[in-house]
């Protein structure tokens, strides 16, 4: 009932953009571009928890992207699920790019605690995953959502916990539903969630899916902590054609895009 009330209120009451507050609908074109326009990029937390698969994210968890995710997750602005699903679909496509063949991509959402779902009135990760699967299918990529993971025990609220304590809090907390191995064998698995911070939830989800016989090829999220983008940024150099008088070839620095901003990476010589 709460979910339907929120959807009706969103259709009747005027509201500004969830990302920037400007008038013109639930999400303006500029904020949609922040979520969906940059393209999915690999991300990696530091330290990365053991067992974490390769992860791709559509945006950095800051500014407009953060506001949109919170509006959908905590305030129940469900119309945002379509745009968030589009962003997640790009990350899923990147994560499953090497999974060829006719078999569908299996999107396995990281489950929320039952009390959290009850308090919010919806399951954000599952809703976004369903939207993403629809985007992928319309684009010609077979995909389906398999919500096969469950919490086996209560966990402490992750807010305020550091990376080590998050891993300890979640280790062994997830499990697959009984007899789901046949479903997981139908295609490669991409774990999905709305947000990655330390990667502990995704690592635990990967462990649970592998234990049930699934093949985890990667993970995809709408947004990741900005520092996770920086962790995978490597120095990129352009070789200068003319050698130096000593015969040493120099390399000049190039610009890398990190979290949508330009950062100059210093050059070296060999």
């Amino acid at each position: 009932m709460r979910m339907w009330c929120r959807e009706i209120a969103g259709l009747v009451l005027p509201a500004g953009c969830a990302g920037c507050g400007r008038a013109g609908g639930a999400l303006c074109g500029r904020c949609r571009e922040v979520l969906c326009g940059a393209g999915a990029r690999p991300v990696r937390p530091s330290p990365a928890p053991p067992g974490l698969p390769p992860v791709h994210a559509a945006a950095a968890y800051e500014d407009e992207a953060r506001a949109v995710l919170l509006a959908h997750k905590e305030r129940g602005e469900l119309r945002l699920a379509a745009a968030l699903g589009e962003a997640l679909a790009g990350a899923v496509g990147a994560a499953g790019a090497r999974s060829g063949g006719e078999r569908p991509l299996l999107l396995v959402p990281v489950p929320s605690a039952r009390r959290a779902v009850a308090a919010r009135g919806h399951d954000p990760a599952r809703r976004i995953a369903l939207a993403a699967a629809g985007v992928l299918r319309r684009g010609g990529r077979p995909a389906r959502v398999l919500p096969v993971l469950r919490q086996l025990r209560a966990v402490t609220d992750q807010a305020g916990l550091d990376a080590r304590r998050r891993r300890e809090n979640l280790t062994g907390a997830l499990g697959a539903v009984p007899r789901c191995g046949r479903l997981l064998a139908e295609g490669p698995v991409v774990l999905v969630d709305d947000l990655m911070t330390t990667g502990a939830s995704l690592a635990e989800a990967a462990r649970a899916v592998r234990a049930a016989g699934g093949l985890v090829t990667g993970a995809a999220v709408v947004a990741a902590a900005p520092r996770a983008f920086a962790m995978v940024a490597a120095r990129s150099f352009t070789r200068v054609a003319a050698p130096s008088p000593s015969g040493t070839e120099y390399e000049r620095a190039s610009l890398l895009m990190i979290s949508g901003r330009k950062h100059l990476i210093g050059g070296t010589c060999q």
Side-chain angles (χ1 to χ4, degrees), residues 183-203:
L183 295 174
L184 290 171
E186 293 179 359
V189 172
V190 177
L191 303 168
V192 294
D193 207 349
D194 56 352
L195 172 65
M196 183 191 76
T197 49
T198 66
S201 296
L202 289 171

Side-chain angles (χ1 to χ4, degrees), residues 109-137:
V110 175
S112 299
R114 291 183 180 178
R115 61 180 181 275
V117 173
R120 292 170 180 147
H122 72 124
D123 187 333
R126 184 172 179 176
R127 180 177 291 272
I128 297 172
L130 290 168
V135 172
L136 290 165
R137 289 193 297 269

Side-chain angles (χ1 to χ4, degrees), residues 104-175:
L105 285 177
L106 305 179
L107 278 56
V108 176
V110 175
S112 299
R114 291 183 180 178
R115 61 180 181 275
V117 173
R120 292 170 180 147
H122 72 124
D123 187 333
R126 184 172 179 176
R127 180 177 291 272
I128 297 172
L130 290 168
V135 172
L136 290 165
R137 289 193 297 269
R138 289 192 293 273
R141 184 67 187 268
R144 58 180 298 197
V145 177
L146 284 184
V148 297
L149 294 182
R150 299 288 185 271
Q151 287 201 346
L152 301 180
R153 59 173 174 79
V155 297
T156 304
D157 187 349
Q158 296 276 79
L161 299 182
D162 60 21
R164 179 184 61 81
R165 292 174 65 192
R166 286 191 178 210
R167 290 197 302 271
E168 293 173 350
N169 185 41
L170 288 171
T171 298
L174 299 182

Side-chain angles (χ1 to χ4, degrees), residues 31 35 41 43 92 94-95 105-106 120 138 144 187 199-200 235 241 243:
C31 291
L35 283 173
R41 290 156 286 175
V43 290
V92 170
L105 285 177
L106 305 179
R120 292 170 180 147
R138 289 192 293 273
R144 58 180 298 197
R235 294 191 174 189

Side-chain angles (χ1 to χ4, degrees), residues 47-270:
L52 180 69
V55 186
H56 284 76
Y61 188 61
E62 58 186 359
D63 304 330
E64 295 90 344
R66 180 178 184 275
V68 173
L69 278 171
L70 288 175
H72 176 262
K73 186 172 189 173
E74 303 298 347
R75 299 201 301 275
E77 295 191 24
L78 304 182
R79 290 185 298 167
L80 297 171
L84 293 170
E86 181 182 345
L88 182 61
V92 170
R98 298 182 180 179
S99 304
E102 299 298 323
R103 298 195 304 165
L105 285 177
L106 305 179
L107 278 56
V108 176
V110 175
S112 299
R114 291 183 180 178
R115 61 180 181 275
V117 173
R120 292 170 180 147
H122 72 124
D123 187 333
R126 184 172 179 176
R127 180 177 291 272
I128 297 172
L130 290 168
V135 172
L136 290 165
R137 289 193 297 269
R138 289 192 293 273
R141 184 67 187 268
R144 58 180 298 197
V145 177
L146 284 184
V148 297
L149 294 182
R150 299 288 185 271
Q151 287 201 346
L152 301 180
R153 59 173 174 79
V155 297
T156 304
D157 187 349
Q158 296 276 79
L161 299 182
D162 60 21
R164 179 184 61 81
R165 292 174 65 192
R166 286 191 178 210
R167 290 197 302 271
E168 293 173 350
N169 185 41
L170 288 171
T171 298
L174 299 182
V177 297
R179 296 180 294 279
C180 69
R182 180 180 58 82
L183 295 174
L184 290 171
E186 293 179 359
V189 172
V190 177
L191 303 168
V192 294
D193 207 349
D194 56 352
L195 172 65
M196 183 191 76
T197 49
T198 66
S201 296
L202 289 171
E204 172 60 14
R207 182 204 61 78
V209 169
R210 290 168 183 145
L215 174 63
V216 178
T217 60
V221 295
V222 175
R227 63 182 179 274
F229 286 86
M231 293 304 169
V232 296
R235 294 191 174 189
S236 177
F237 300 100
T238 304
R239 188 172 298 276
V240 178
S244 68
S246 63
T248 303
E249 287 188 325
Y250 288 90
E251 293 180 334
R252 62 170 178 249
S254 63
L255 290 174
L256 289 179
M257 291 298 294
I258 303 176
S259 184
R261 297 183 177 87
K262 290 182 178 180
H263 296 261
L264 182 63
I265 308 298
T268 64
C269 61
Q270 296 178 349

